Amino acid sequence: MPTVAATTHLDRMGPKRSDPDFIKGLRDGPSARFLILADLKPVIRSNAERTSATLAWFTAADLAELELPAEEALFLGVDPQGTAHFALAVTEHRTRNVPGAIEKLRPIVDLRTLALQGVMSGEELSLCGQARALAQWHENARCCGHCGGTTLVKDGGWR
């Protein structure tokens, strides 16, 4: 089994991400990139032989064309070039009903398979794991365990 370094080069912007206007500005910026997770599995791009793969990144315009809600995206961080990265978790059923889904949102591969195949860089696997963990936490923690109230997404999804 290949070894994978668990690191990403994204700055999670801890001191600033509690500002909803800051996160909105990053999300609405022209360089923002979005990773789509369908049932917690990332959309990827791979070569014909399936010997290498990368995460598929979408723009806000791509999401609008696909009729997917960018405002529900979870903030992953900003890369050294200043590009903000987000993850958008949707159901696989929803992706099947997206216009042009077969061409634009395939293949969708689970993270474990990608890790075991050794076809994706450690940095991308780590970033995908971070995105998946955030999305799954929000999926599983829809209500407060103490009072039962509905939880709200804060700090770009980190709270």
Side-chain angles (χ1 to χ4, degrees), residues 17-39:
R17 69 177 181 234
S18 62
D19 179 353
D21 292 330
F22 175 76
I23 296 296
K24 183 180 183 330
L26 290 175
R27 188 185 65 231
D28 295 345
S31 66
R33 294 296 174 259
F34 299 84
L35 171 63
I36 297 174
L37 298 171
D39 286 344

Side-chain angles (χ1 to χ4, degrees), residues 27 29-34 36 57-66 70:
R27 188 185 65 231
S31 66
R33 294 296 174 259
F34 299 84
I36 297 174
W57 292 99
F58 297 85
T59 65
D62 294 330
L63 293 185
E65 181 183 323
L66 297 169

Side-chain angles (χ1 to χ4, degrees), residues 22-135:
F22 175 76
I23 296 296
K24 183 180 183 330
L26 290 175
R27 188 185 65 231
D28 295 345
S31 66
R33 294 296 174 259
F34 299 84
L35 171 63
I36 297 174
L37 298 171
D39 286 344
L40 302 176
K41 297 176 278 191
V43 177
I44 66 164
R45 300 290 178 246
S46 65
N47 61 1
E49 298 80 29
R50 301 206 187 245
T51 57
S52 70
T54 60
L55 296 173
W57 292 99
F58 297 85
T59 65
D62 294 330
L63 293 185
E65 181 183 323
L66 297 169
E67 300 175 10
L68 294 174
E71 62 277 358
E72 293 179 13
L74 305 170
F75 177 64
L76 299 175
V78 176
D79 68 21
Q81 293 75 36
T83 302
H85 292 74
F86 293 84
L88 179 62
V90 296
T91 64
E92 195 164 350
H93 171 74
R94 186 171 187 181
T95 64
R96 285 191 197 115
N97 295 310
V98 163
I102 297 297
E103 301 82 28
K104 297 174 185 170
L105 298 179
R106 297 289 184 265
I108 298 170
V109 182
D110 68 280
L111 184 57
R112 182 177 307 212
T113 298
L114 290 169
L116 290 174
Q117 289 175 344
V119 296
M120 186 175 279
S121 74
E123 183 176 344
E124 283 203 320
L125 285 170
S126 180
L127 181 58
C128 186
Q130 173 188 335
R132 187 184 188 288
L134 272 175

